[in-house]
Amino acid sequence: MFTGLVEDIGILKAMQSDRDSMKITVQSAKIAEDVKLGDSIAVNGVCLTVTYFTEQTLTMDVMPETVNATNLQQLAVGDSVNLERAMPANGRFGGHFVAGHVDGVGKILCKRPVANAVYIDIELSEELTKFCIPKGSITIDGTSLTLFHVDTNSVTISLIPHTYKETVLGMKKAGAIVNIETDLVGKYILQHLKKGQATPTITRDYLAQHGF
């Protein structure tokens, strides 16, 4: 489990690609300082397992499903990636529940400054936007963010200066592909409603009756 609070920006030092799978090596002394074999690391929001490490680098395998469903396949040596270690049981929970299981990808449409923030419009499929609500949470390239506007095929998020500087989202331009993980709680609720009735209608009474 992760929080979506990016700990470091790593540099992709090496990658090996087969037709359907990958092995990547990422440099980050901060993340590598207390890593163990088998640890889970979120790389651009994708939960990967450490299979080898040094004092400076982490090596991880990427299976076919992950290659096909995320933007990791578009990486090149020298690219920057967001990194986060799994949350310790005694750690502060500062973001939101992030599983590291990417639901799909989106495309940055535009970035625009608004006062001290940068607004980013991101194109999403309707399959993803159905899990999005204004003021709700979303994870973009592993970064926990708040949704400010939701349309049928796009969402808008806002970056404060710290997030813009300390994550790869500040480096990306219009047209860039980003990993999307929608809100975990919302997915469970929608799945529960689908099982309960053909055309789910959420009311206070319905939620109370089903333990929400």
Side-chain angles (χ1 to χ4, degrees), residues 87-123:
M87 186 185 73
N90 62 346
R92 285 194 174 95
F93 200 101
H96 73 281
F97 290 111
V98 177
H101 304 156
V102 170
D103 296 305
V105 296
K107 182 172 71 173
I108 294 178
L109 297 174
C110 68
K111 300 170 73 172
R112 59 189 188 278
V114 179
N116 68 336
V118 175
Y119 281 28
I120 304 180
D121 296 330
I122 299 174
E123 181 182 44

Short mmCIF file of all heavy atoms in Angstrom, two decimals, residues 87-123:
data_model
loop_
_atom_site.label_atom_id
_atom_site.label_comp_id
_atom_site.label_asym_id
_atom_site.label_seq_id
_atom_site.Cartn_x
_atom_site.Cartn_y
_atom_site.Cartn_z
N MET A 87 4.21 2.14 2.33
CA MET A 87 4.01 2.85 3.58
C MET A 87 4.24 1.91 4.77
O MET A 87 3.67 0.82 4.82
CB MET A 87 2.59 3.41 3.65
CG MET A 87 2.34 4.27 4.86
SD MET A 87 0.62 4.80 4.99
CE MET A 87 -0.15 3.26 5.49
N PRO A 88 5.07 2.31 5.74
CA PRO A 88 5.25 1.49 6.94
C PRO A 88 4.00 1.52 7.80
O PRO A 88 3.22 2.49 7.76
CB PRO A 88 6.43 2.16 7.65
CG PRO A 88 6.39 3.58 7.20
CD PRO A 88 5.89 3.55 5.78
N ALA A 89 3.79 0.47 8.57
CA ALA A 89 2.58 0.38 9.40
C ALA A 89 2.49 1.52 10.41
O ALA A 89 1.39 1.92 10.81
CB ALA A 89 2.55 -0.96 10.12
N ASN A 90 3.64 2.06 10.83
CA ASN A 90 3.63 3.14 11.83
C ASN A 90 3.86 4.51 11.20
O ASN A 90 4.18 5.47 11.89
CB ASN A 90 4.71 2.88 12.88
CG ASN A 90 6.12 2.88 12.29
OD1 ASN A 90 6.28 2.81 11.07
ND2 ASN A 90 7.13 2.94 13.14
N GLY A 91 3.67 4.61 9.86
CA GLY A 91 3.92 5.87 9.18
C GLY A 91 2.69 6.76 9.13
O GLY A 91 1.57 6.31 9.35
N ARG A 92 2.90 8.05 8.85
CA ARG A 92 1.80 8.99 8.67
C ARG A 92 1.15 8.74 7.31
O ARG A 92 1.81 8.42 6.33
CB ARG A 92 2.31 10.43 8.72
CG ARG A 92 2.63 10.92 10.11
CD ARG A 92 2.78 12.44 10.12
NE ARG A 92 2.96 12.94 11.47
CZ ARG A 92 4.14 13.17 12.03
NH1 ARG A 92 5.24 12.95 11.35
NH2 ARG A 92 4.22 13.63 13.26
N PHE A 93 -0.17 8.88 7.28
CA PHE A 93 -0.91 8.67 6.04
C PHE A 93 -1.29 10.04 5.49
O PHE A 93 -2.33 10.59 5.80
CB PHE A 93 -2.16 7.81 6.30
CG PHE A 93 -2.67 7.16 5.06
CD1 PHE A 93 -2.40 5.83 4.82
CD2 PHE A 93 -3.40 7.87 4.13
CE1 PHE A 93 -2.86 5.21 3.68
CE2 PHE A 93 -3.86 7.27 2.98
CZ PHE A 93 -3.60 5.93 2.75
N GLY A 94 -0.44 10.59 4.62
CA GLY A 94 -0.64 11.96 4.18
C GLY A 94 -1.36 12.12 2.87
O GLY A 94 -1.83 13.21 2.55
N GLY A 95 -1.46 11.07 2.05
CA GLY A 95 -2.12 11.19 0.76
C GLY A 95 -3.47 10.52 0.78
O GLY A 95 -4.38 10.94 1.50
N HIS A 96 -3.63 9.43 0.00
CA HIS A 96 -4.85 8.62 0.07
C HIS A 96 -4.47 7.17 -0.23
O HIS A 96 -3.32 6.88 -0.52
CB HIS A 96 -5.93 9.15 -0.88
CG HIS A 96 -5.68 8.89 -2.34
ND1 HIS A 96 -4.80 9.65 -3.11
CD2 HIS A 96 -6.18 7.95 -3.20
CE1 HIS A 96 -4.80 9.20 -4.35
NE2 HIS A 96 -5.62 8.17 -4.43
N PHE A 97 -5.42 6.25 -0.12
CA PHE A 97 -5.12 4.84 -0.36
C PHE A 97 -4.72 4.63 -1.81
O PHE A 97 -5.53 4.80 -2.72
CB PHE A 97 -6.35 3.97 -0.04
CG PHE A 97 -6.68 3.88 1.41
CD1 PHE A 97 -7.83 4.47 1.92
CD2 PHE A 97 -5.85 3.20 2.30
CE1 PHE A 97 -8.15 4.37 3.26
CE2 PHE A 97 -6.16 3.10 3.65
CZ PHE A 97 -7.31 3.70 4.12
N VAL A 98 -3.46 4.22 -2.02
CA VAL A 98 -2.94 3.96 -3.36
C VAL A 98 -2.41 2.53 -3.40
O VAL A 98 -1.54 2.17 -2.60
CB VAL A 98 -1.83 4.95 -3.74
CG1 VAL A 98 -1.24 4.62 -5.11
CG2 VAL A 98 -2.37 6.39 -3.73
N ALA A 99 -2.94 1.73 -4.30
CA ALA A 99 -2.56 0.32 -4.37
C ALA A 99 -1.34 0.09 -5.27
O ALA A 99 -0.67 -0.93 -5.15
CB ALA A 99 -3.73 -0.52 -4.87
N GLY A 100 -1.07 1.01 -6.19
CA GLY A 100 0.00 0.79 -7.16
C GLY A 100 -0.45 -0.09 -8.31
O GLY A 100 0.37 -0.59 -9.08
N HIS A 101 -1.77 -0.26 -8.45
CA HIS A 101 -2.35 -1.05 -9.54
C HIS A 101 -2.99 -0.08 -10.53
O HIS A 101 -4.12 0.38 -10.33
CB HIS A 101 -3.38 -2.04 -9.00
CG HIS A 101 -2.82 -2.94 -7.96
ND1 HIS A 101 -3.60 -3.56 -7.00
CD2 HIS A 101 -1.55 -3.35 -7.71
CE1 HIS A 101 -2.84 -4.30 -6.22
NE2 HIS A 101 -1.59 -4.18 -6.62
N VAL A 102 -2.28 0.23 -11.58
CA VAL A 102 -2.70 1.25 -12.54
C VAL A 102 -3.93 0.77 -13.31
O VAL A 102 -3.97 -0.35 -13.81
CB VAL A 102 -1.54 1.59 -13.49
CG1 VAL A 102 -2.02 2.47 -14.64
CG2 VAL A 102 -0.42 2.28 -12.72
N ASP A 103 -4.94 1.65 -13.41
CA ASP A 103 -6.17 1.31 -14.12
C ASP A 103 -6.07 1.57 -15.61
O ASP A 103 -6.81 0.98 -16.40
CB ASP A 103 -7.34 2.13 -13.56
CG ASP A 103 -7.64 1.78 -12.11
OD1 ASP A 103 -7.86 0.59 -11.83
OD2 ASP A 103 -7.64 2.69 -11.27
N GLY A 104 -5.19 2.47 -16.01
CA GLY A 104 -5.05 2.82 -17.42
C GLY A 104 -4.17 4.04 -17.55
O GLY A 104 -3.52 4.46 -16.59
N VAL A 105 -4.14 4.61 -18.72
CA VAL A 105 -3.31 5.80 -18.96
C VAL A 105 -4.17 6.95 -19.45
O VAL A 105 -5.28 6.76 -19.96
CB VAL A 105 -2.18 5.51 -19.98
CG1 VAL A 105 -1.22 4.48 -19.43
CG2 VAL A 105 -2.75 5.06 -21.31
N GLY A 106 -3.65 8.15 -19.27
CA GLY A 106 -4.28 9.36 -19.79
C GLY A 106 -3.25 10.18 -20.55
O GLY A 106 -2.06 9.85 -20.55
N LYS A 107 -3.72 11.23 -21.20
CA LYS A 107 -2.83 12.10 -21.97
C LYS A 107 -2.98 13.54 -21.51
O LYS A 107 -4.10 14.05 -21.41
CB LYS A 107 -3.13 12.00 -23.47
CG LYS A 107 -2.20 12.86 -24.33
CD LYS A 107 -2.42 12.58 -25.81
CE LYS A 107 -3.73 13.11 -26.31
NZ LYS A 107 -3.86 12.98 -27.78
N ILE A 108 -1.85 14.19 -21.21
CA ILE A 108 -1.89 15.59 -20.82
C ILE A 108 -2.33 16.43 -22.02
O ILE A 108 -1.71 16.37 -23.09
CB ILE A 108 -0.52 16.06 -20.31
CG1 ILE A 108 -0.17 15.34 -19.01
CG2 ILE A 108 -0.51 17.59 -20.09
CD1 ILE A 108 1.20 15.69 -18.45
N LEU A 109 -3.40 17.20 -21.84
CA LEU A 109 -3.91 18.06 -22.91
C LEU A 109 -3.26 19.43 -22.87
O LEU A 109 -2.87 19.98 -23.90
CB LEU A 109 -5.43 18.19 -22.80
CG LEU A 109 -6.23 16.89 -22.96
CD1 LEU A 109 -7.71 17.15 -22.69
CD2 LEU A 109 -6.03 16.34 -24.37
N CYS A 110 -3.18 20.01 -21.67
CA CYS A 110 -2.55 21.33 -21.54
C CYS A 110 -2.19 21.58 -20.09
O CYS A 110 -2.73 20.95 -19.17
CB CYS A 110 -3.46 22.43 -22.08
SG CYS A 110 -4.96 22.70 -21.11
N LYS A 111 -1.27 22.52 -19.90
CA LYS A 111 -0.86 22.97 -18.57
C LYS A 111 -0.96 24.49 -18.57
O LYS A 111 -0.52 25.15 -19.52
CB LYS A 111 0.58 22.53 -18.27
CG LYS A 111 0.77 21.03 -18.30
CD LYS A 111 2.25 20.65 -18.25
CE LYS A 111 2.85 20.87 -16.89
NZ LYS A 111 4.24 20.32 -16.81
N ARG A 112 -1.52 25.06 -17.50
CA ARG A 112 -1.66 26.51 -17.45
C ARG A 112 -1.47 27.01 -16.02
O ARG A 112 -2.01 26.44 -15.09
CB ARG A 112 -3.01 26.95 -18.00
CG ARG A 112 -4.21 26.37 -17.27
CD ARG A 112 -5.52 26.68 -18.01
NE ARG A 112 -6.69 26.29 -17.23
CZ ARG A 112 -7.18 25.08 -17.17
NH1 ARG A 112 -6.59 24.10 -17.82
NH2 ARG A 112 -8.26 24.83 -16.43
N PRO A 113 -0.69 28.09 -15.85
CA PRO A 113 -0.49 28.65 -14.51
C PRO A 113 -1.72 29.41 -14.05
O PRO A 113 -2.34 30.15 -14.82
CB PRO A 113 0.71 29.59 -14.70
CG PRO A 113 0.66 29.96 -16.15
CD PRO A 113 0.10 28.79 -16.88
N VAL A 114 -2.09 29.23 -12.78
CA VAL A 114 -3.18 29.96 -12.15
C VAL A 114 -2.69 30.38 -10.77
O VAL A 114 -2.58 29.54 -9.87
CB VAL A 114 -4.46 29.12 -12.04
CG1 VAL A 114 -5.57 29.92 -11.36
CG2 VAL A 114 -4.92 28.62 -13.40
N ALA A 115 -2.34 31.66 -10.63
CA ALA A 115 -1.75 32.16 -9.38
C ALA A 115 -0.50 31.35 -9.06
O ALA A 115 0.40 31.24 -9.90
CB ALA A 115 -2.77 32.14 -8.25
N ASN A 116 -0.45 30.71 -7.88
CA ASN A 116 0.76 29.96 -7.52
C ASN A 116 0.66 28.48 -7.89
O ASN A 116 1.51 27.67 -7.51
CB ASN A 116 1.04 30.08 -6.02
CG ASN A 116 -0.01 29.38 -5.18
OD1 ASN A 116 -1.15 29.19 -5.63
ND2 ASN A 116 0.35 28.99 -3.96
N ALA A 117 -0.38 28.12 -8.63
CA ALA A 117 -0.60 26.72 -9.00
C ALA A 117 -0.45 26.54 -10.51
O ALA A 117 -0.38 27.49 -11.27
CB ALA A 117 -2.00 26.27 -8.56
N VAL A 118 -0.37 25.28 -10.91
CA VAL A 118 -0.41 24.92 -12.33
C VAL A 118 -1.55 23.94 -12.53
O VAL A 118 -1.58 22.87 -11.91
CB VAL A 118 0.92 24.29 -12.80
CG1 VAL A 118 0.80 23.84 -14.25
CG2 VAL A 118 2.06 25.28 -12.65
N TYR A 119 -2.52 24.32 -13.36
CA TYR A 119 -3.64 23.44 -13.68
C TYR A 119 -3.25 22.56 -14.86
O TYR A 119 -2.65 23.02 -15.82
CB TYR A 119 -4.88 24.26 -14.04
CG TYR A 119 -5.62 24.81 -12.85
CD1 TYR A 119 -4.97 25.10 -11.64
CD2 TYR A 119 -6.99 25.07 -12.90
CE1 TYR A 119 -5.65 25.61 -10.56
CE2 TYR A 119 -7.68 25.59 -11.83
CZ TYR A 119 -7.01 25.86 -10.65
OH TYR A 119 -7.67 26.36 -9.57
N ILE A 120 -3.61 21.29 -14.77
CA ILE A 120 -3.32 20.34 -15.84
C ILE A 120 -4.61 19.64 -16.24
O ILE A 120 -5.29 19.05 -15.39
CB ILE A 120 -2.28 19.28 -15.41
CG1 ILE A 120 -0.99 19.96 -14.93
CG2 ILE A 120 -1.97 18.33 -16.57
CD1 ILE A 120 0.09 18.99 -14.49
N ASP A 121 -4.95 19.74 -17.52
CA ASP A 121 -6.09 19.01 -18.07
C ASP A 121 -5.58 17.70 -18.66
O ASP A 121 -4.61 17.68 -19.42
CB ASP A 121 -6.78 19.82 -19.17
CG ASP A 121 -7.38 21.10 -18.64
OD1 ASP A 121 -7.77 21.15 -17.47
OD2 ASP A 121 -7.45 22.09 -19.42
N ILE A 122 -6.23 16.60 -18.29
CA ILE A 122 -5.79 15.27 -18.72
C ILE A 122 -6.95 14.54 -19.37
O ILE A 122 -8.04 14.43 -18.80
CB ILE A 122 -5.27 14.46 -17.52
CG1 ILE A 122 -4.07 15.17 -16.90
CG2 ILE A 122 -4.89 13.04 -17.94
CD1 ILE A 122 -3.55 14.53 -15.64
N GLU A 123 -6.70 14.04 -20.57
CA GLU A 123 -7.70 13.26 -21.29
C GLU A 123 -7.75 11.83 -20.73
O GLU A 123 -6.72 11.16 -20.62
CB GLU A 123 -7.37 13.21 -22.77
CG GLU A 123 -8.37 12.44 -23.61
CD GLU A 123 -7.98 12.39 -25.07
OE1 GLU A 123 -6.78 12.15 -25.36
OE2 GLU A 123 -8.86 12.60 -25.92
#
